[in-house]
């Protein structure tokens, strides 16, 4: 049998290259009729680990079977991901993330009755925007570190320390600025309908938001680094576990910190009003230090300059979702919606972040943004190619979509058992709720398939640009569909569900 691998893009395929760095040539033994020429690989530039770390199925292995044995020492076999293995790896962090969002919803259901939320109503407006923004930052960090771990950029201690310091400084810059902008947005949204402005309340919002963002980023950043390093050592794809954990812990920790800090600073308004501006000034004064550290790191320098557009636009999108939530919950008929909003938005954001991170890692295996075969279709893909093809990313989309119903059933039962939400779980309520959740995730997974490839084709790193847009859209779509479901339930007279109790 004759087997020939020809190189089409190089004259060295003829075997007459005299350069010592050229590929090895295996001469044809007499009578065997075998002529094998080893293909050049991008691994010469990025290291053999980049190819080893590609956690894909057998559709990619066909190209590498003939070349992997001619590289000297045989590298470890890449991990093959089936639908079962993807689901198994995603299931635990997905449930953990879901219970985190349930806890965040229960916290929101409790703190909305605190004096600070009643007297400084802008804090309630601030909640969705700040939670969404912090989630965007942490999931972007998790996606960025997951990709770096998968392509071998965190294998040595020097590279690992470089990635840690640069990314921790970067998220402190982003969190401080984003927290400040979120407080401004909350002040504006609170001032427009009422026409009343209070400087004390504005400073309180600024101090609470910036302090919450800073502390939450520090804690969550350290947790994410530990999760990703541990995942790699255990042979688990960090893309499958890092982003859901980041999202769940981000919501819960950020909401708890925001509630506690705002409550404490509110108590200081009467006796020591100067504490609020001092807190705000302290955290803002640390910005130059984090900027200098992030600028000196080549891994984060580009994001420091170019990573603001998606975060700011995502803030605007999340603020629209927050406005929908504020208007809906303010109606006594729909007061029970507050506890379900973090859950449906968190689950949708978690699942689409996993998919976006996986697609981004897959594209990074072919090189830098804008490079590689099959680069970024500019047109919208068909739903069949997104969900029904044999591609590994389509397989993961199906697995993630199938997790929606059983996951939400578990979370709804948990909320019902904890007597949260002021809503009885009738059959018609569950049907409407599940329809909204399924439609939200279906839309988000389809948009992720298009957006990540589109950004890659425009030489933009999807790890830094796609997740903020996708999670913000998840907040907007989830809140809108949930509010619509509550309105329809009320209109058709499902009084048994006690929607407005």
């Amino acid at each position: 049998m004759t087997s020939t691998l020809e190189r089409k893009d190089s004259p060295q395929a003829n075997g007459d290259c005299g350069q010592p760095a050229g590929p090895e040539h295996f001469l044809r033994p007499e009578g065997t009729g075998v002529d094998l020429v080893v293909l050049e690989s991008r691994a010469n530039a990025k290291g053999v680990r980049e190819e080893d770390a590609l956690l894909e199925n057998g559709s990619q292995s066909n190209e590498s079977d003939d070349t992997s044995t001619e590289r000297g020492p045989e590298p470890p076999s890449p991990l093959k991901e089936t639908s079962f293995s993807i689901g198994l790896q995603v299931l635990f962090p997905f449930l953990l993330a879901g219970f985190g969002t349930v806890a965040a919803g229960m916290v929101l259901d409790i703190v909305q009755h605190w004096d600070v939320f009643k007297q400084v109503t802008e804090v309630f407006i601030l909640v969705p925007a700040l939670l969404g923004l912090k989630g965007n930052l942490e999931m972007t960090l998790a996606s960025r570190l997951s990709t770096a771990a998968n392509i071998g950029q965190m294998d040595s201690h020097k590279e690992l320390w470089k990635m840690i310091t640069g990314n921790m400084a970067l998220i402190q810059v982003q969190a401080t600025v984003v927290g400040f902008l979120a407080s401004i947005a909350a002040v504006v949204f609170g001032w427009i309908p009422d026409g009343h402005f209070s400087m004390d309340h504005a400073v309180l919002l600024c101090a609470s938001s910036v302090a919450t963002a800073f502390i939450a980023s520090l804690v969550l950043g350290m947790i994410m680094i530990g999760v990703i390093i541990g995942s790699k050592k255990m042979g688990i794809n960090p893309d499958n576990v890092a982003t859901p954990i980041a999202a769940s812990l981000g919501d819960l920790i950020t909401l708890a910190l925001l509630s506690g800090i705002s409550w404490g600073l509110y108590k200081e308004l009467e006796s020591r009003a100067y504490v609020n501006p001092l807190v705000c000034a302290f955290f803002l004064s640390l910005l130059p230090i984090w900027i200098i550290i992030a600028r000196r790191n080549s891994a984060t320098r580009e994001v420091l300059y170019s990573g603001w557009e998606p975060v700011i636009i995502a803030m605007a999108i999340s603020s629209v979702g927050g406005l929908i939530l504020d208007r809906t919950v303010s109606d006594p008929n729909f007061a029970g919606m507050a506890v379900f909003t973090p859950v449906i938005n968190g689950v949708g954001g978690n699942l689409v972040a996993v998919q976006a991170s996986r697609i981004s890692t897959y594209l990074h295996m072919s090189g830098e943004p804008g490079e590689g075969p099959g680069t970024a279709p500019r047109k919208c893909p068909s739903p069949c190619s997104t969900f029904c093809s044999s591609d590994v990313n389509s397989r993961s989309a199906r697995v993630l979509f199938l997790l929606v119903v059983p996951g939400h059933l578990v979370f709804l039962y948990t909320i019902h058992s904890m007597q949260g939400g002021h809503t009885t779980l009738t059959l018609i309520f569950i049907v409407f709720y599940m329809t909204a959740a399924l439609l939200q995730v279906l839309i988000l997974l389809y948009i992720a398939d298009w957006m990540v490839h589109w950004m890659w084709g425009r030489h933009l790193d999807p790890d830094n640009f796609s997740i903020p847009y996708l999670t913000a859209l998840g907040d907007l779509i989830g809140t809108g569909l949930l509010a619509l479901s509550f309105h329809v339930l009320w209109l058709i007279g499902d009084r048994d569900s006690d929607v407005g109790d």
Side-chain angles (χ1 to χ4, degrees), residues 400-438:
L400 296 175
F401 183 73
L402 291 175
L403 288 175
V404 174
V405 171
H408 273 295
L409 286 176
V410 172
F411 305 144
L412 287 177
Y413 176 77
T414 303
I415 294 174
H416 177 67
S417 300
M418 300 175 68
Q419 298 180 350
H422 314 287
T423 301
T424 304
L425 297 184
T426 63
L427 178 61
I428 189 171
F429 173 80
I430 295 176
V431 169
F432 272 84
Y433 181 88
M434 288 299 173
T435 301
L438 287 170

Side-chain angles (χ1 to χ4, degrees), residues 54-63 80-84 86 355-363 365 373-377 381-400 445 448-450 452-453:
L54 178 58
L55 307 177
E56 302 300 339
N57 66 347
S59 61
Q60 282 79 38
S61 64
N62 296 333
E63 301 179 15
K80 309 295 183 183
E81 285 191 306
T82 62
S83 296
F84 178 78
I86 294 173
Q355 182 70 354
S357 183
R358 290 178 58 87
I359 298 175
S360 177
T361 297
Y362 173 75
L363 293 175
M365 294 304 115
T375 302
S382 67
C384 290
S385 65
T386 301
F387 297 100
C388 303
S389 71
S390 59
D391 181 74
V392 66
N393 293 321
S394 178
R395 181 184 297 116
S396 63
R398 293 194 295 270
V399 171
L400 296 175
L445 292 175
D449 187 28
W450 165 78
V452 173
H453 286 90

Side-chain angles (χ1 to χ4, degrees), residues 248-305:
S248 64
L249 295 178
D251 286 349
L252 179 58
I253 292 177
T254 303
L255 183 56
L257 284 172
L258 176 63
S259 303
I261 293 174
S262 61
W263 177 82
L265 293 177
Y266 176 73
K267 294 297 183 182
E268 299 294 334
L269 276 180
E270 297 180 359
S271 59
R272 292 179 289 184
Y274 61 87
V275 172
N276 288 311
L278 282 180
V279 170
C280 186
F282 171 75
F283 287 106
L284 291 177
S285 66
L286 296 178
L287 264 178
I289 300 176
W290 310 127
I291 292 175
I292 292 173
I293 297 175
R295 284 183 60 186
R296 290 180 177 177
N297 194 311
S298 59
T300 56
R301 186 182 303 118
E302 180 183 355
V303 184
L304 180 64
Y305 294 124

Side-chain angles (χ1 to χ4, degrees), residues 62-98:
N62 296 333
E63 301 179 15
S64 59
D65 288 343
D66 294 334
T67 62
S68 60
T69 58
E70 311 300 336
R71 297 179 183 275
E74 184 176 355
S77 299
L79 178 63
K80 309 295 183 183
E81 285 191 306
T82 62
S83 296
F84 178 78
S85 66
I86 294 173
L88 190 62
Q89 290 187 22
V90 173
L91 180 61
F92 174 74
F94 169 71
L95 291 176
L96 178 62

Side-chain angles (χ1 to χ4, degrees), residues 104-120:
M106 296 300 295
V107 170
L108 181 60
D109 195 37
I110 295 172
V111 301
Q112 65 177 330
H113 303 296
W114 288 8
D115 288 341
V116 64
F117 282 86
K118 292 181 178 179
Q119 302 300 324
V120 188

